[in-house]
Amino acid sequence: MRKVNTVSEETLDNLVNEGQSFPPPPAFAAQANGTADLYDKAAADHEGFWAEQARTYLTWSTPFTQSLDWSNPPFAKWFADGELNACVNAVDRHVAQGRGDKVAIHFVGEPEGDTRDITYSDLHAEVQRAANALADLGVSKGDTVAIYLPMIPEAAVAMLACARLGAPHSVVFGGFSAEALHSRIDDAKAKVVITADGGYRRGAPSALKPAVDAALDHGDTSVEHVLVVKRTGQDTAWSDRDVWWHDALEQAAPTHEAQAFEAEHPLFILYTSGTTGKPKGIFHTTGGYLTQAAYTNAVVHDVHRDTDVYWCTADIGWVTGHSYIVYGPLTNGITQVMYEGTPDTPHQGRWWEIIQDYKVTILYTAPTAVRTFMKWGADIPAKFDMSSLRLLGSVGEPINPEAWLWYHKHIGGGRAPIVDTWWQTETGAIMISPLPGVTTLEPGSAQKPIPGISAEILDDEGKPFTTPEQVGYLVLTKPWPSMLRGIWGDPERYKETYWSRFGEKYYFAGDGAKYDANGNIWLLGRVDDVMNVSGHRLSTAEIESALVSHPKVAEAAVVGANDETTGQAVCAFVILRQEFVEEADEPGEGGDLVKELRNHVAKEIGPIAKPRSIMIVSELPKTRSGKIMRRLLRDVAEGREVGDVTTLADSSVMDLIKTGMSSS
Ligand code: ATP
Ligand code: MG
């Protein structure tokens, strides 16, 4: 019966915390980079504010004289007559300023004991050789390079080497199939692919290069060479176009003089998660992107170069890995942890052990991970000393209040502020978030646009409103430095997707949002996911949050399925917390539990939100970046053939769910 006691204690705690807010701890506020005056400065002079950040955080080879050029909307130029090199900003200048011995990356491989510390000097030596190696293979300014690597330091080196040459990179997540890789290589017309023999995943080497071979064997390809990092040492098929990374770097000249590029020179292309449809090739340029990545990493993640050990758990194949593993933190010259593997290899406390070993001070992760840890139970992190943590961050999806409170208490020791950061591949960097030394935190809300960013919520007619609890469309109202410059090769799709819904005055983010009574912004999921039940607009995020606030539920996904009488009906898919899984398996219990959960939603939101069906599942379909793919669940709920699953992290999940569906 102990189990039950733990749960009621937790439920009680959360009842006490309901609606509670968390002011910044005074000691934190006293040392914070992000201060309240930034809001006033940015409001007084938008362009001047950003110009100041660009000068503060970056080193320019040619100083810019103009901040924003918005003469041809929606195509922005920032700092356009300035010149810089992104790699020099992220690496060389730290060495030149005497910080070469500082650790840039504490690399932790998945196999235990497989660790490497890489200093800024080490990184400097590697990026110079890698840039020369790429140049030897014919890569020069403007050529694109595809990167398909596991989470190893060479992934960062490869990106920086491309940046050093002015060759835009297109990183493709290592978990993608040959087909997904092929379409991205083709779309970007990559000249070189950088990959590895394999990486470690769930305790075993997992091959990567065969997918590259299969992608290129499709025939016609722009790819001339494949550079292969030896990571696992497994047997690897070899052809004439293949070159070992270590051979190429060894043969390359050790020094490379970096050239400066125009601020608007393309830095990278990155495809969106594909949560709602076919991924879009978003492209970013150099000066504005780097400015906002470094600035937000400083004021939101509050990194301090001399004292922090920062860890962002994202994969490098996602925009979070670009901005908050590579470009932001390295430009700021800080020390960070990079981990190759899964959180449960070899045990479910692996992350907490890494935090304990490296005395990590700042942790930036996704709600999906937090909910997984909730499912595994709080006794796992409790075994480790995580007193070094002083700030936590969340990104990727709305973090429901229940998960926020769990994260705050069991990971942050009730002491570390949490920054819930809203942004997109398209925005390049954080847009809406608390400032941890300034904002009084409200669990579940990303709260306010950061200094320098302006957002509004519009109604169906495109009119801004501030009425609390009314659901509308989130838009951004002013150009920002790290905004996408377009969709690669498709300017029309760029205009149509982002700048047509409410005219060219507003960037349409595609997310639903509302204000609360205190003027905080709550993100409510994709506009495509907002349901209409008997004429009522319901948000998936709110119903999911209500389900997760039930003590037996770890994670939930909600979709609207066509319904003859109500237009759409709420269908929920629910993962239970570990200790209740058995209970649900007992005959009869499942049915009672479903009833209990339906009533719980009715109580939390109202009878209109009561799910028509609730299915208990063991996994949910997620993208590579951990986001729930509701469109696939909608296919299941509406009894259709399941759509495009190429961006799914684990394609067997849909089979499991369909089997469960037909047997229930
Ligand atoms: P696609 O555009 O191809 O459908 P995607 O939108 O999932 O894919 P990303 O750019 O990786 O691709 O994700 C951005 C989206 O993630 C945002 O539009 C928003 O829906 C969601 N998101 C990110 N951070 C937050 C957050 N802190 N709170 C709520 N939602 C968030
Ligand atoms: Mg999107």
Side-chain angles (χ1 to χ4, degrees):
M1 283 283 92
R2 237 184 84 240
K3 264 187 330 202
V4 175
N5 285 338
T6 335
V7 168
S8 46
E9 188 193 304
E10 174 109 28
T11 310
L12 207 67
D13 265 12
N14 289 335
L15 280 177
V16 172
N17 281 329
E18 189 105 343
Q20 194 181 324
S21 55
F22 298 80
F28 192 105
Q31 58 81 60
N33 295 327
T35 48
D37 61 312
L38 294 177
Y39 290 102
D40 305 328
K41 277 196 192 168
D45 179 7
H46 180 69
E47 293 180 29
F49 175 81
W50 281 115
E52 188 185 328
Q53 308 317 316
R55 293 186 186 106
T56 303
Y57 289 98
L58 306 184
T59 302
W60 295 80
S61 309
T62 308
F64 57 88
T65 60
Q66 189 184 15
S67 183
L68 168 67
D69 174 357
W70 192 234
S71 56
N72 180 30
F75 299 91
K77 289 183 182 162
W78 282 90
F79 320 123
D81 61 348
E83 291 186 328
L84 76 169
N85 186 295
C87 180
V88 168
N89 273 275
V91 182
D92 302 37
R93 63 175 181 154
H94 304 307
V95 178
Q97 290 164 14
R99 295 187 300 275
D101 290 340
K102 186 174 168 56
V103 172
I105 299 172
H106 290 297
F107 172 66
V108 182
E110 194 185 80
E112 281 186 294
D114 176 14
T115 61
R116 257 194 286 167
D117 284 348
I118 298 155
T119 64
Y120 276 93
S121 290
D122 296 337
L123 206 52
H124 190 216
E126 282 262 308
V127 292
Q128 292 186 81
R129 282 187 183 272
N132 284 328
L134 284 169
D136 292 345
L137 294 177
V139 175
S140 63
K141 182 183 175 187
D143 291 333
T144 54
V145 174
I147 297 176
Y148 184 68
L149 282 170
M151 280 295 291
I152 54 176
E154 285 79 3
V157 172
M159 289 163 73
L160 292 165
C162 289
R164 195 173 187 89
L165 294 172
H169 52 72
S170 166
V171 181
V172 180
F173 174 58
F176 273 159
S177 64
E179 201 184 318
L181 178 62
H182 174 258
S183 69
R184 286 162 177 75
I185 288 175
D186 197 43
D187 191 64
K189 303 274 172 293
K191 193 166 187 180
V192 167
V193 180
I194 306 178
T195 187
D197 50 358
Y200 291 94
R201 227 42 216 164
R202 300 191 192 284
S206 149
L208 265 184
K209 180 150 181 300
V212 177
D213 293 339
L216 300 185
D217 291 344
H218 268 261
D220 249 17
T221 166
S222 48
V223 175
E224 293 170 13
H225 294 285
V226 179
L227 255 181
V228 188
V229 177
K230 192 176 236 163
R231 167 67 184 136
T232 56
Q234 62 202 120
D235 280 343
T236 304
W238 210 251
S239 79
D240 289 349
R241 64 178 173 239
D242 299 333
V243 184
W244 283 112
W245 168 273
H246 58 267
D247 286 342
L249 264 67
E250 201 180 289
Q251 282 156 25
T255 57
H256 176 269
E257 181 125 12
Q259 197 193 324
F261 302 108
E262 324 78 82
E264 284 297 337
H265 185 66
L267 183 62
F268 66 85
I269 308 164
L270 185 63
Y271 294 81
T272 55
S273 303
T275 312
T276 49
K278 185 172 173 280
K280 302 169 276 285
I282 303 301
F283 88 92
H284 284 282
T285 57
T286 309
Y289 169 80
L290 210 58
T291 297
Q292 197 171 329
Y295 157 78
T296 48
N297 179 238
V299 302
V300 178
H301 297 128
D302 195 49
V303 295
H304 289 65
R305 199 165 59 202
D306 296 331
T307 45
D308 277 315
V309 180
Y310 163 94
W311 183 18
C312 166
T313 66
D315 193 280
I316 224 136
W318 183 27
V319 72
T320 305
H322 282 56
S323 302
Y324 299 113
I325 294 176
V326 179
Y327 290 109
L330 295 177
T331 298
N332 287 331
I334 67 152
T335 297
Q336 69 179 313
V337 166
M338 177 190 271
Y339 173 54
E340 176 185 29
T342 50
D344 53 352
T345 308
H347 58 81
Q348 292 181 331
R350 186 73 193 270
W351 280 21
W352 321 128
E353 188 176 62
I354 292 173
I355 289 173
Q356 173 178 280
D357 289 351
Y358 288 94
K359 300 198 167 31
V360 171
T361 57
I362 301 165
L363 177 70
Y364 191 39
T365 193
T368 177
V370 175
R371 290 188 295 255
T372 301
F373 298 131
M374 280 173 80
K375 184 172 76 177
W376 292 346
D379 51 324
I380 296 169
K383 292 188 199 118
F384 300 89
D385 176 7
M386 298 196 286
S387 55
S388 55
L389 282 175
R390 64 179 198 88
L391 179 68
L392 305 176
S394 172
V395 58
E397 286 188 292
I399 180 163
N400 40 289
E402 193 76 12
W404 196 105
L405 292 167
W406 190 95
Y407 192 26
H408 188 253
K409 178 176 173 190
H410 296 291
I411 308 302
R415 129 200 111 245
I418 299 178
V419 285
D420 174 5
T421 61
W422 177 88
W423 58 294
Q424 310 177 297
T425 308
E426 294 88 338
T427 69
I430 294 169
M431 303 294 283
I432 303 180
S433 167
L435 290 187
V438 178
T439 315
T440 291
L441 304 173
E442 306 269 357
S445 165
Q447 302 197 277
K448 296 213 158 58
I450 59 163
I453 300 302
S454 322
E456 257 169 335
I457 302 178
L458 306 185
D459 65 16
D460 283 319
E461 270 78 62
K463 283 204 198 63
F465 66 86
T466 53
T467 325
E469 302 307 323
Q470 184 181 331
V471 178
Y473 305 90
L474 181 74
V475 295
L476 302 166
T477 59
K478 279 186 190 147
W480 63 101
S482 65
M483 68 193 281
L484 76 164
R485 300 304 196 259
I487 294 179
W488 195 247
D490 199 346
E492 276 314 307
R493 190 174 175 206
Y494 166 63
K495 284 195 212 166
E496 185 192 300
T497 310
Y498 306 105
W499 300 94
S500 65
R501 177 75 191 251
F502 297 110
E504 41 171 62
K505 231 176 97 191
Y506 296 113
Y507 169 88
F508 173 59
D511 284 343
K514 67 168 190 186
Y515 290 106
D516 66 16
N518 300 323
N520 292 304
I521 295 175
W522 290 69
L523 279 312
L524 299 174
R526 318 313 169 101
V527 170
D528 310 24
D529 291 336
V530 172
M531 294 166 289
N532 196 324
V533 180
S534 306
H536 297 266
R537 286 251 289 271
L538 297 172
S539 111
T540 52
E542 282 183 311
I543 302 176
E544 286 163 8
S545 245
L547 283 164
V548 176
S549 75
H550 189 284
K552 294 181 185 170
V553 176
E555 178 143 32
V558 164
V559 298
N562 287 333
D563 187 283
E564 279 181 15
T565 43
T566 55
Q568 277 188 312
V570 180
C571 296
F573 298 77
V574 161
I575 299 181
L576 298 179
R577 292 207 199 188
Q578 210 77 70
E579 62 258 51
F580 297 106
V581 169
E582 270 173 43
E583 183 190 316
D585 283 346
E586 284 166 22
E589 276 286 346
D592 286 349
L593 182 60
V594 165
K595 205 183 293 165
E596 189 178 322
L597 295 178
R598 294 182 70 226
N599 290 336
H600 180 73
V601 173
K603 189 180 104 237
E604 295 285 308
I605 303 180
I608 185 76
K610 209 169 170 173
R612 178 182 76 185
S613 68
I614 295 184
M615 191 178 163
I616 311 287
V617 295
S618 56
E619 294 289 344
L620 288 168
K622 290 188 182 155
T623 62
R624 59 192 172 108
S625 51
K627 292 171 203 285
I628 299 168
M629 288 179 83
R630 291 182 189 74
R631 68 177 163 86
L632 298 182
L633 294 173
R634 212 178 298 129
D635 290 342
V636 171
E638 295 182 344
R640 256 197 315 278
E641 195 61 26
V642 171
D644 182 9
V645 294
T646 51
T647 61
L648 208 54
D650 173 3
S651 54
S652 63
V653 168
M654 285 318 293
D655 296 332
L656 271 176
I657 292 176
K658 279 183 295 182
T659 318
M661 196 73 178
S662 52
S663 66
S664 66

